[in-house]
Amino acid sequence: MKKDWLWLLVPVLFCGFPYLRGGLVWDDAYLLVELLPYQNWFDIWLSPVGGGSVGEGYYRPLSMTLLKLLGRPSAIHIAVLSFHLLSCWTLYQLSKRNVVATLLFGCHPLASEVLGWASALPDAVASCFGLLALLSLQREKRWGFILFSFLGLLAKESAILPILMGVIFFARYRTLFCGILLSYALLRIRATQQSPEMELFSAIEAVQSYLWLLSSIIIPYPLTAVRELHVTPTWTLPIGVIVWISSLYIAVKGEKIQRIGFGILCLSPLIALPTILEANLAAERYAYLSLAGLALIASPWKLSLVRTVPILLMISFPLHLSRSSAWQSDQHLFRSATEATPTSSYAWHFLGHVYLRDQSPKQAAIAFENAIQHGHPYPNDHTLLLIALVQSEQYIRALQLAESGPKENLTAEHIAWWARAAGEVGNVKRSQALFQMLVQPDGSYDGPAWVKDYVHSKGDRP
C-alpha cells in the first residue's frame, strides 16, 4: 500500500508543482486585492461576495473565507494543490486503491485551470469535500457524511453532485440528505435574499458547451482559459457523443461505482450550464469533477503501474508545464488563449484589455481589431479600439474608425474619444461639435474626467 501511495503521490506532485508559481490573473486582482481584504469576516457568511449578474448569486462562504485568510497567490496555490491531493487520496479509496484510475484525475491536463487560477479554489475545495462525503457514505460514516456535505456545499454548489450520486446508489441517509439540502437552501436564500432566476438559453449553445466539455475529458485540446462557444471545434461534438455513449455502456454493464462515476462525469458540466451560457465560455474548471467520474469509471480496471504510470506522466507533464506558464500573468494567459484559438473574439478582447491596462495601446489596438474582425466582439470593443488608437497617436485611423462606425446610441466615452481624435488631426469644427454633445445643463461635461481639461487646453471650448 505504501508503494502504491508513492506511485500516486509523486506523479501528482510532479504535475502540480509548476502551478505554485502562478500569479494574480483575470479576476484575481479584483477578488483578492480589491474586494476580500475589505470584506468583514461575518459578512462573508451572511451575504454573497462578488458582483455582476451572475456573481451576485454566488454564496460560497467557506471558499471566500479561505481566500481571505490565505491572501497571497502562492499560499492559495499550495492550498489548491493540497485539496487536489486529498481528492486523489479519496478517489484512491473509492476506487479500491486503483492508482492508475486515480491518476486519470490527479494528472489530467484538464485540471490545469483549477490548479493554476487562484480564484478557482472553490472548485478544488468543493470537489474534495463532495468526494469525502461520498466516501463517508460508502463506509457508512454518518457524521462524516454530514460534516463533509455541509463543508462541500458551503465551498461551492457543485459539491452536491458526488453527494447526490452516493445517496442514490448507496441508498443511505436519504432523509438526512434532504435535511442537509434544505438547510443549505434556506441559508443560501437568506444570504442572497433572492431565489434563483431561470432563463431560456439557446439549445444549440447548450449542447455545444456540454459536448465540448465531455470531449475534453478524452482529448484535452485546445487547452485554453478562453473557451468561447462561438469557436467550438466541430470535431468536439461527435467525440462528446462518443464519450457519453461509451461511459453509459460501461456504467450499465459495470459495477455500482462505475454508475456513480457515470453520473458525476456526465452531470458535472450541466451544473455550470447557466453560467456557461451567460458568459459564452465553457471553462475547463467545469469539467474538473467530471475527471473524478472518469477515475471511478476506470476503477475496476487493473493496469500495470510500471508500464502505465510513466506513459501517463510523459503525456501529462509537458502539458501541465506549458499551461502553468500561462497562468503566471494576464499577458501570458491571454496571449496563449489567442494562440490556442486564433479566431476567438473573446480571447482577443481580454488580451486587448490587458495591453490597454499595461499602457501598451498600440498592441491593444491590434487585439481589439482582431476581436471585431472575428465576428463576436464585446459591445464596447469599438470604443476600446478607438481609445487604443488615440492613445497610440494613430489619430487619422481613430477618426476614420469613428466616422465610419455607428452614429446612434453612443456612450459619452465614445463621443469624447471621437472628439479628441478629430481635434488631434486639426478638424477643430468637428471636434467642437462633438464636445458640445457632452455639455451638461450646469456647464460640466459628461464622459471621461480628462474632457474638461482637454477642451480648455485646446482653447476651443464649444
Side-chain angles (χ1 to χ4, degrees), residues 39 84 94 137 262 265 282 292 340 359 417 421 436 458:
Q39 192 88 7
H84 185 65
L94 285 166
L137 271 172
F262 168 76
L265 184 147
Q359 299 181 348
W417 287 99
Q436 180 65 46
K458 291 295 183 180

Side-chain angles (χ1 to χ4, degrees), residues 352-425:
H353 250 298
V354 172
Y355 280 137
L356 206 57
R357 182 200 67 192
D358 294 346
Q359 299 181 348
S360 301
K362 189 171 183 179
Q363 292 171 297
I366 295 171
F368 289 125
E369 280 183 313
N370 275 286
I372 294 168
Q373 289 172 4
H374 290 304
H376 297 281
Y378 272 64
N380 64 338
D381 275 350
H382 284 86
T383 299
L384 292 171
L385 174 56
L386 179 59
I387 293 170
L389 288 172
V390 173
Q391 289 187 352
S392 60
E393 301 181 356
Q394 300 180 67
Y395 302 122
I396 295 176
R397 286 191 61 202
L399 185 58
Q400 290 173 344
L401 172 73
E403 295 289 350
S404 63
K407 303 296 188 296
E408 297 180 357
N409 301 318
L410 299 177
T411 64
E413 183 179 39
H414 188 97
I415 294 170
W417 287 99
W418 183 357
R420 184 165 177 169
E424 294 294 342
V425 299

